């Protein structure tokens, strides 16, 4: 059976509204107060409250920290997960998008993971001379494969820096903070394939 994912091309206001509702739902499902999530995510209570009320679009760095505080993936926080199916088709015109208001960084979900799945493909676009800023590790062990087909990219992983030329690929395990930077004036587009380790749940005796 083939199922199509339910991504959409929302406007910024629609995305913020959906994000706010999703964040509140995840927080309350885990019985977390604003203060508790703020402490776990290292994000101010005021910021989390503004996001939930649809008043403030966060940066990608803040989103990653909130996702880590909730122990979910960034895609799950953005509500991109599709229904489970043996074959999935995700239409190009129904992909979800996120735009960082401070840098113009764009994230497009090329292929969102199904419920319980462990693979994902996203496309990033970084404007000239911009950076994602420092991003936090994920709550679940994650491996990333980066492919930059047409432009240079600087990737910092912990204390190491890698300068990618057009056509280069880089794979790494997300065990420390990392960032992506565009050293050129023109925008750079690159792809990230992500795989996440499934954690086995051991039933109580």
């Amino acid at each position: 059976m083939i199922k199509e994912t339910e991504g959409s091309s929302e406007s910024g206001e629609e995305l913020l509204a959906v994000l706010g509702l999703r964040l509140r739902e995840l927080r309350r499902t885990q019985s977390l107060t604003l203060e508790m999530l703020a402490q776990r995510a290292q994000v101010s209570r005021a910021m989390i409250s503004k996001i939930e009320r649809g008043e403030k679009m966060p940066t990608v760095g803040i989103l990653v920290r909130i996702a880590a505080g909730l122990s979910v993936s960034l895609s799950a926080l953005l509500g991109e997960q599709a229904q489970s199916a043996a074959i999935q088709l995700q239409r190009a015109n129904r992909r979800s998008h996120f735009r960082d208001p401070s840098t113009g960084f764009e994230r497009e979900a090329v292929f969102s993971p199904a419920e319980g799945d462990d693979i994902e493909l996203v496309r990033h676009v970084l404007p000239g001379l911009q950076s994602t800023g420092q991003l936090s590790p994920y709550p679940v062990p994650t491996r990333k494969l980066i492919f930059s087909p047409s432009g240079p990219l600087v990737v910092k992983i912990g204390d190491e820096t890698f300068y990618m030329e057009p056509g280069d690929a880089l794979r790494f395990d997300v065990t420390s903070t990392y960032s992506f930077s565009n050293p050129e004036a023109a925008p750079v587009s690159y792809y990230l394939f992500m795989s996440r380790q499934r954690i086995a749940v051991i039933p109580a005796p």
Side-chain angles (χ1 to χ4, degrees):
M1 180 177 181
I2 300 176
K3 289 190 177 181
E4 295 188 17
T5 60
E6 298 178 352
S8 62
S9 54
E10 301 118 330
S11 67
E13 291 183 358
E14 291 171 335
L15 174 60
L16 183 54
V18 171
L19 173 61
L21 291 173
R22 179 64 173 160
L23 172 54
R24 184 181 295 112
E25 176 189 10
L26 288 169
R27 179 175 62 80
R28 291 179 174 176
T29 298
Q30 297 183 33
S31 300
L32 295 173
T33 64
L34 286 169
E35 290 80 4
M36 293 166 65
L37 178 56
Q39 184 175 8
R40 288 172 58 169
Q42 296 300 298
V43 174
S44 73
R45 178 191 184 282
M47 173 60 76
I48 296 173
S49 179
K50 287 180 180 179
I51 297 171
E52 287 193 357
R53 297 197 305 267
E55 297 176 357
K56 181 74 172 180
M57 179 65 79
T59 65
V60 65
I62 288 175
L63 272 183
V64 169
R65 291 203 297 274
I66 291 175
L70 292 167
S71 295
V72 299
S73 67
L74 180 55
S75 290
L77 178 57
L78 290 171
E80 295 169 0
Q81 288 187 303
Q83 296 180 357
S84 180
I87 302 176
Q88 294 172 243
L89 173 63
Q90 182 158 327
R91 298 292 186 185
N93 63 352
R94 302 192 67 185
R95 294 172 184 163
S96 62
H97 296 75
F98 167 78
R99 186 178 186 277
D100 189 316
S102 66
T103 63
F105 162 82
E106 296 181 25
R107 179 186 189 273
E108 177 185 22
V110 177
F111 188 82
S112 303
E115 182 178 355
D117 206 348
D118 58 354
I119 58 172
E120 181 177 11
L121 179 64
V122 299
R123 174 176 175 263
H124 289 178
V125 179
L126 261 178
L129 306 176
Q130 292 291 340
S131 170
T132 60
Q134 196 172 72
L135 304 176
S136 303
Y138 293 86
V140 176
T142 302
R143 174 169 291 177
K144 290 195 173 190
L145 174 61
I146 309 165
F147 175 55
S148 182
S150 59
L153 188 67
V154 179
V155 184
K156 292 186 178 180
I157 306 169
D159 295 329
E160 297 187 82
T161 301
F162 301 88
Y163 297 90
M164 297 180 64
E165 299 293 338
D168 286 352
L170 173 67
R171 186 183 70 181
F172 68 101
D173 292 329
V174 185
T175 58
S176 63
T177 57
Y178 63 100
S179 67
F180 306 115
S181 301
N182 179 2
E184 302 290 339
V188 61
S189 172
Y190 56 98
Y191 291 85
L192 282 82
F193 175 84
M194 291 177 281
S195 64
R196 298 181 178 88
Q197 177 180 323
R198 294 185 178 182
I199 305 298
V201 177
I202 302 176

